[in-house]
Amino acid sequence: MRIVFFGTPEFAVASLERLIADGHDIAAVVTMPDKRGGRNHLVIESDVKKCALAHGLPLLQPEKLRDPEFIERLKSLEADLFVVIAFRMLPEMVWAMPPKGTFNLHASLLPRYRGAAPINWAIINGDTRTGVTTFFLSHEIDTGDIIAQREVDILPSDNVGSLYDRLMAVGADMTSETVKALENGDVRTIPQPEGEFVPAPKIFKETCRIDWNADAVAIHNKVRGLSPYPAAWSVMTLENGSELDAKIFETRPCDSSDVSTSEKNPAAGDVLIADGRLMVCTADGCLEILSIQPAGKKRMEAAAFLRGYHPVHFK
C-alpha cells in the first residue's frame, strides 16, 4: 500500500514505525514545521520528523495545508491512502484526495472524548476504561465513520504517562490492522452514535491548577491525568508568609485513620503534617502529596520536600 503519513508527536511514531516494518511504501511523511523554543531558542523538530529522517523518508512540512504547492505535491505522490495521527485538522481537499480515503487514529473510544487531549480527560474524569479508534475523516473533527475500536483498562495506578504508552502500542497495532483491512477491501464502517459526544479540549496552564475546594478523589484524578506532563500545580503559602508555585505529580486520598482533624477545623487547602507526611485538606477530607516540585527545583518526594520547606496552605 502506498501511504502518506501525517503526524507530529511521539504517539504517532509507533504507528509510523509499524507501517514501515509492515513493508508499506511510505510515499512521504507530513509533519509540523520546525519551531524554536527553550531558553536558547533552539530549533525543535517533531518526533515524527526525526523518525522520517532516520528512515530516509521524503518529508513535507507545510505552513499552510491549503497551499497550492503543497496540494500539488500531494497529488503527485499518487498515494492509495493517507494515515493521520495527532496532526492538525485537514481540509477536505486533502483528506478526500486518496482513492482509499484518509483515516485517523484517535486515543479514545469515539464518540467519547473528541478533541486534542483525550487521554488526559479520561483520567481526569475518573474513567476506568478507554481505548483507540480508527475512523475515516469527515468535515467535523473526530466525527467520521468508525472503522475499528479496541478497549484498554485504566488502572488505578495509571497516570497520563503510563496510559499514553499503552495506548501508543495498542494504537500501532490498530493502525497496522486497519491498513491491512483497507488493502484487502475488508472494511465495514459504522456511524458514530449521536448524542454521546464528550469534549476533550486542549490542556492549558490554568486547566492544570488545583481547586482544593473539590473532593479528594476528583483532585487525585486531576493530578493523575496531568502527570508527568504538563503537571497539576498550586500556589503554596509558606510558614514565613511567602508564596511559591509547585507542581504536584503523585497523590493519595487519605482515609479516616491517616490524621485526626477534629480539633483543627481546617479549611480547604490547609496543610496537615503528620509523621513526615504532607497532607492537604479538601472539600471532603484530605489528600496526601507524595511527589512535588517547587518552582526552580527538581521533583522530590514529600519527605525530602518537608526538610526544606514549611507550607501552611495551598491555594
Side-chain angles (χ1 to χ4, degrees):
M1 183 85 80
R2 187 166 170 81
I3 297 170
V4 174
F5 186 92
F6 296 73
T8 296
E10 179 191 15
F11 189 85
V13 170
S15 290
L16 177 56
E17 293 274 11
R18 180 65 60 83
L19 294 177
I20 294 168
D22 287 347
H24 295 291
D25 177 11
I26 308 301
V29 171
V30 184
T31 192
M32 67 180 290
D34 297 342
K35 59 183 180 180
R36 292 187 178 274
R39 294 181 178 178
N40 297 321
H41 300 285
L42 298 176
V43 174
I44 300 174
E45 298 177 337
S46 77
D47 291 319
V48 164
K49 177 180 178 177
K50 293 174 184 176
C51 177
L53 293 176
H55 288 278
L57 299 174
L59 185 68
L60 303 176
Q61 295 180 270
E63 291 282 351
K64 297 180 180 180
L65 297 175
R66 298 178 184 271
D67 182 86
E69 185 176 340
F70 171 65
I71 297 298
E72 288 305 312
R73 179 69 189 279
L74 281 181
K75 289 179 179 177
S76 72
L77 295 172
E78 298 183 338
D80 303 306
L81 174 71
F82 291 172
V83 176
V84 182
I85 303 176
F87 193 68
R88 292 178 281 172
M89 186 174 179
L90 298 182
E92 183 175 1
M93 66 177 65
V94 174
W95 57 257
M97 191 181 297
K100 289 191 177 293
T102 298
F103 81 81
N104 179 272
L105 172 73
H106 187 72
S108 81
L109 298 174
L110 288 172
R112 193 164 180 83
Y113 297 119
R114 292 174 180 162
I119 306 176
N120 302 87
W121 286 106
I123 298 179
I124 291 170
N125 289 339
D127 290 3
T128 58
R129 71 180 185 103
T130 185
V132 293
T133 302
T134 53
F135 67 98
F136 283 117
L137 293 194
S138 62
H139 294 92
E140 300 297 326
I141 190 166
D142 296 340
T143 61
D145 289 352
I146 292 171
I147 303 169
Q149 290 187 319
R150 184 168 299 164
E151 291 188 7
V152 173
D153 288 337
I154 301 177
L155 307 176
S157 59
D158 272 327
N159 61 18
V160 72
S162 61
L163 184 58
Y164 180 101
D165 289 344
R166 291 212 311 283
L167 290 174
M168 181 168 58
V170 173
D173 291 340
M174 182 71 76
T175 298
S176 174
E177 292 165 12
T178 298
V179 171
K180 290 176 183 176
L182 287 167
E183 190 172 29
N184 296 332
D186 186 24
V187 168
R188 295 181 181 179
T189 61
I190 59 170
Q192 292 192 35
E194 296 292 335
E196 297 183 18
F197 164 57
V198 180
K202 186 176 180 180
I203 302 290
F204 295 98
K205 182 178 180 181
E206 199 54 37
T207 313
C208 302
R209 186 165 187 173
I210 295 172
D211 177 8
W212 296 99
N213 290 295
D215 63 67
V217 170
I219 298 171
H220 174 64
N221 287 336
K222 183 168 189 170
V223 171
R224 293 169 58 218
L226 297 169
S227 179
Y229 181 83
W233 65 280
S234 186
V235 179
M236 59 182 178
T237 303
L238 302 178
E239 198 172 48
N240 62 9
S242 63
E243 293 187 341
L244 188 66
D245 288 359
K247 292 181 178 180
I248 297 171
F249 298 95
E250 290 180 88
T251 56
R252 183 182 67 85
C254 303
D255 59 42
S256 58
S257 65
D258 284 322
V259 63
S260 174
T261 63
S262 58
E263 297 181 2
K264 298 182 180 181
N265 192 27
D270 283 353
V271 171
L272 305 171
I273 298 173
D275 299 322
R277 296 164 59 194
L278 172 61
M279 289 164 279
V280 184
C281 295
T282 70
D284 65 347
C286 66
L287 190 71
E288 182 177 2
I289 295 176
L290 304 176
S291 179
I292 187 170
Q293 182 179 4
K297 301 294 183 179
K298 293 182 179 180
R299 175 175 171 173
M300 61 187 78
E301 300 302 308
F305 166 79
L306 289 173
R307 288 195 288 270
Y309 295 89
H310 305 282
V312 295
H313 187 77
F314 283 81
K315 66 178 184 179

